[in-house]
Amino acid sequence: MTNQPEPSRGLVLVVEDEPAIADVLKMYLTREGFGVSVARDGEAGLADAQSQRPVAVILDVGLPGIDGTEVCRRLRAENNWVPVLFCTARDDEVDRVLGLEMGGDDYITKPFSPREVVARVKAAARRAAGPQAEGEVLRVGAVELDLAARRVLLQGSAIDLTATEFDLLAHLMSKPGRVFSRDQLLSEVWGYAAAVGTRTVDVHVAQVRGKLGDLSPIRTVRGVGYAVSEPAGADDGGN
């Protein structure tokens, strides 16, 4: 494990057992003003994510010891909502969906462009920082969303969302009734083009719906995308 003093952009934890990949990521992230800590296996990565305060974690799935999805699952079970970007050579959709369902914020498939990874890290860190307007509260049905506090209440009870889940819900709730396509949501919430695949949007919507249960205001508009509406009730059965 290597550490650097924390610079202005904060610390990124890279959990990667291939030294060449870890070194390239470290070089590009350092150039962009991030500090970088590198862990080589799942146990070390989990310990570093718990003890350090990274602004994001780049997490390889196929790690020695416990794998990346288990690392993420354990972090989320501890209410640690640091943005997690899964990185793996696997390109099977089942693997991608599993990583997102474990609480991941994004998914990067090897081989990748280091510049794209840096852009994804920046976007994830911005989402987690929550640059929304101070004091603004959004309400749709039984859901109340405090943008400044980055807090979601469901009938007065707090609900834990990842940074990406929060921003997805906030984006939809900011314009009740407006239908957003999956491509629009990828561009406006994740901050990149649809070439990476819109399944990411579907999985995150499903995750938010699962946490909000029957009171979720998110509706599927078949063949188009998603919207929120009042009153909250049973949805139309799609993702």
Side-chain angles (χ1 to χ4, degrees):
M1 180 182 70
T2 56
N3 294 299
Q4 294 184 346
E6 183 175 339
S8 58
R9 286 188 181 274
L11 180 73
V12 175
L13 173 61
V14 176
V15 189
E16 171 60 65
D17 64 321
E18 296 185 40
I21 294 177
D23 289 346
V24 168
L25 290 172
K26 180 178 179 179
M27 179 178 66
Y28 275 82
L29 288 163
T30 301
R31 285 178 181 174
E32 293 297 320
F34 291 100
V36 180
S37 177
V38 177
R40 302 297 189 190
D41 59 53
E43 287 86 353
L46 178 61
D48 287 351
Q50 293 165 331
S51 63
Q52 302 172 9
R53 293 186 176 273
V55 297
V57 178
I58 300 175
L59 184 58
D60 188 22
V61 172
L63 292 167
I66 59 175
D67 66 19
T69 55
E70 178 63 13
V71 171
C72 185
R73 188 196 67 78
R74 293 188 190 182
L75 288 174
R76 298 316 189 216
E78 299 168 355
N79 286 324
N80 185 330
W81 300 101
V82 60
V84 170
L85 294 83
F86 281 107
C87 181
T88 181
R90 305 173 188 174
D91 59 3
D92 185 80
E93 182 175 339
V94 172
D95 292 318
R96 294 198 299 271
V97 171
L98 177 61
L100 297 174
E101 288 180 344
M102 288 296 103
D105 293 88
D106 206 345
Y107 204 103
I108 304 158
T109 302
K110 301 174 186 176
F112 52 76
S113 161
R115 290 185 177 86
E116 180 184 353
V117 175
V118 171
R120 302 270 195 100
V121 169
K122 287 180 179 178
R126 281 196 301 269
R127 292 195 297 269
Q132 289 91 351
E134 183 177 356
E136 186 175 358
V137 176
L138 305 176
R139 295 181 181 85
V140 178
V143 180
E144 178 179 304
L145 191 149
D146 186 326
L147 295 175
R150 293 187 69 80
R151 179 180 62 192
V152 179
L153 298 178
L154 180 66
Q155 292 186 323
S157 298
I159 302 295
D160 290 323
L161 300 181
T162 68
T164 303
E165 290 167 355
F166 182 95
D167 283 353
L168 173 61
L169 182 59
H171 198 74
L172 291 167
M173 287 180 61
S174 67
K175 296 180 174 62
R178 175 176 170 180
V179 180
F180 292 89
S181 71
R182 292 168 175 82
D183 289 349
Q184 285 177 312
L185 291 171
L186 270 178
S187 175
E188 296 167 13
V189 177
W190 277 262
Y192 50 76
V196 298
T198 56
R199 180 59 175 160
T200 296
V201 177
D202 296 335
V203 173
H204 278 85
V205 167
Q207 292 293 96
V208 174
R209 281 174 161 166
K211 292 178 180 181
L212 298 179
D214 292 340
L215 297 176
S216 170
I218 301 177
R219 303 287 171 267
T220 300
V221 180
R222 294 191 184 279
V224 184
Y226 299 103
V228 298
S229 61
E230 294 189 74
D235 66 42
D236 63 5
N239 277 336

